């Protein structure tokens, strides 16, 4: 289960914080680190020192320029959020998130991204809207600021505890060992699948006049929240995209060919 978890850091500005995150991950058995547009050095004396023996995670970390690229193959994306947003999103505590992982990881090809934002400003609204859910660490309201590595440590600890409970449960239950993952047609849609769907959906809604990009009224953000909450399977997403394609064709056929110049 822990091998299915990817820690994603966006716009990290201090190499020492990346090293501290690597140490926190290695402590808890996580080894998949992805960096999105880091604002400074990734591997230097400070990051290696703070990693305290976990610097191999720094050397194997994947660096991307966008969040979409970093989590393209992920079936569940959870963003760390320190504050409420104008548009409410499913919110989990680290323990609630960890409790979901055993079932999530039964899915064939499942991969979960734990996304953490910049040290000074966290995740943007656009980045949070790309997440299925948000995880919030219930800190002291009078002093809620957490060091990046400390935040990763808290979430990773809860994930490890869920894994340990799963291991203990498997040891005492033969039927759980015999469980098979769902059939391939029941696989969850990946982040990349969903982003292609959202682009297709927005284009179709604009074509039929339901959506005006100049006056969006949070329409696409609300639709994102709906579909991310629903967690569609790949086969279901293919059906939805087929409907969009048929809708575009019907509108085009009704309008007829464009006038010849």
């Amino acid at each position: 289960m822990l091998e299915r978890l990817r820690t994603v850091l966006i716009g990290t500005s201090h190499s020492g914080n990346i090293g501290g995150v690597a140490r926190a991950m290695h402590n808890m058995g996580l080894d998949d680190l992805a960096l999105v547009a880091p604002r400074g050095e990734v591997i230097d004396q400070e990051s290696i020192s703070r990693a305290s023996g976990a610097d191999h995670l720094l050397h194997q970390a994947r660096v991307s320029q966008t969040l979409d690229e970093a989590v393209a193959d992920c079936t569940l994306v959870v963003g760390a959020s320190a504050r409420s947003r104008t548009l409410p999103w499913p919110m989990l505590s680290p323990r609630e998130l960890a409790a979901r992982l055993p079932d999530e990881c039964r899915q064939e090809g499942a991969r979960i991204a734990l996304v953490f934002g910049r040290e000074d400003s966290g995740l943007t609204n656009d980045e949070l809207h790309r997440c299925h859910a948000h995880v919030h660490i219930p800190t002291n309201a009078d002093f809620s600021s957490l060091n990046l590595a400390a935040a990763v440590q808290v979430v990773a600890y809860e994930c490890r505890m869920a894994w340990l409970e799963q291991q203990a449960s498997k040891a005492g239950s033969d039927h759980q060992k015999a469980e098979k993952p769902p059939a391939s047609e029941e696989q969850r849609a990946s982040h990349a699948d969903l982003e292609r769907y959202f682009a297709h959906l927005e284009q179709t809604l604009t074509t039929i006049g339901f959506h005006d990009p100049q006056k969006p009224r949070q329409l696409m953000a609300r639709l994102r929240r709906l579909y991310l909450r629903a967690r569609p399977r790949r086969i279901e997403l293919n059906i939805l995209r087929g409907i969009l394609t048929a809708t575009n064709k019907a509108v085009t056929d009704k309008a007829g060919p464009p006038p010849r110049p």
Side-chain angles (χ1 to χ4, degrees):
M1 186 175 81
L2 298 180
E3 293 175 354
R4 304 287 188 96
L5 302 181
R6 176 177 301 157
T7 303
V8 181
L9 308 182
I10 298 181
T12 314
S13 60
H14 301 292
S15 63
N17 287 334
I18 300 176
V21 166
R23 178 179 182 178
M25 290 174 60
H26 198 36
N27 283 155
M28 297 297 121
L30 279 61
D31 63 5
D32 188 353
L33 175 62
L35 306 172
V36 176
R39 291 182 281 177
E41 292 294 327
V42 174
I43 302 175
D44 59 14
Q45 191 54 48
E46 179 68 15
S47 63
I48 292 174
S49 176
R50 289 279 303 278
S52 299
D55 49 287
H56 63 285
L57 296 186
L58 303 178
H59 292 283
Q60 68 189 35
R62 288 173 289 182
V63 180
S64 306
Q65 289 307 305
T66 67
L67 175 60
D68 287 342
E69 182 183 350
V71 302
D73 60 334
C74 293
T75 52
L76 177 67
V77 181
V78 182
S81 178
R83 56 191 183 277
S84 61
R85 303 287 171 151
T86 55
L87 185 61
W89 221 259
M91 184 72 73
L92 303 170
S93 70
R95 190 158 300 175
E96 289 169 335
L97 167 63
R100 290 180 54 172
L101 295 183
D103 183 60
E104 288 288 340
C105 291
R106 284 188 60 246
Q107 302 286 331
E108 184 179 348
R111 183 159 294 279
I112 295 92
L114 309 174
V115 184
F116 298 84
R118 303 152 191 81
E119 296 97 331
D120 53 354
S121 58
L123 297 170
T124 66
N125 282 339
D126 181 65
E127 289 161 350
L128 285 167
H129 289 170
R130 280 170 155 67
C131 300
H132 292 88
H134 302 162
V135 61
H136 174 70
I137 300 172
T139 54
N140 178 4
D142 295 328
F143 191 66
S144 61
S145 177
L146 268 179
N147 174 272
L148 180 59
V152 172
Q153 185 82 74
V154 170
V155 176
Y157 166 78
E158 293 293 349
C159 293
R160 183 169 184 81
M161 291 302 295
W163 175 75
L164 290 172
E165 291 177 8
Q166 181 192 49
Q167 297 303 106
S169 177
K170 281 185 176 180
S173 176
D174 290 336
H175 81 273
Q176 286 192 0
K177 295 179 182 179
E179 284 185 354
K180 296 181 180 179
S184 58
E185 69 174 17
E186 292 301 314
Q187 289 181 22
R188 301 280 191 190
S190 69
H191 176 85
D193 293 331
L194 285 162
E195 287 305 311
R196 285 190 288 269
Y197 173 71
F198 289 134
H200 195 173
L201 176 63
E202 183 169 18
Q203 180 265 319
T204 302
L205 294 178
T206 302
T207 297
I208 65 176
F210 189 83
H211 173 56
D212 181 357
Q214 302 304 315
K215 299 177 182 178
R217 304 176 322 239
Q218 292 192 317
L219 174 63
M220 292 308 301
R222 293 180 185 279
L223 289 173
R224 276 181 172 274
R225 181 176 61 177
L226 168 64
Y227 285 106
L228 292 175
R229 186 172 66 241
R231 306 293 310 284
R233 267 66 171 175
R234 283 183 175 176
I235 191 170
E236 294 168 337
L237 212 58
N238 288 339
I239 293 171
L240 291 172
R241 291 201 66 183
I243 294 171
L244 295 179
T245 298
T247 300
N248 276 305
K249 184 177 184 301
V251 171
T252 301
D253 290 347
K254 184 176 181 180
R260 301 181 66 177

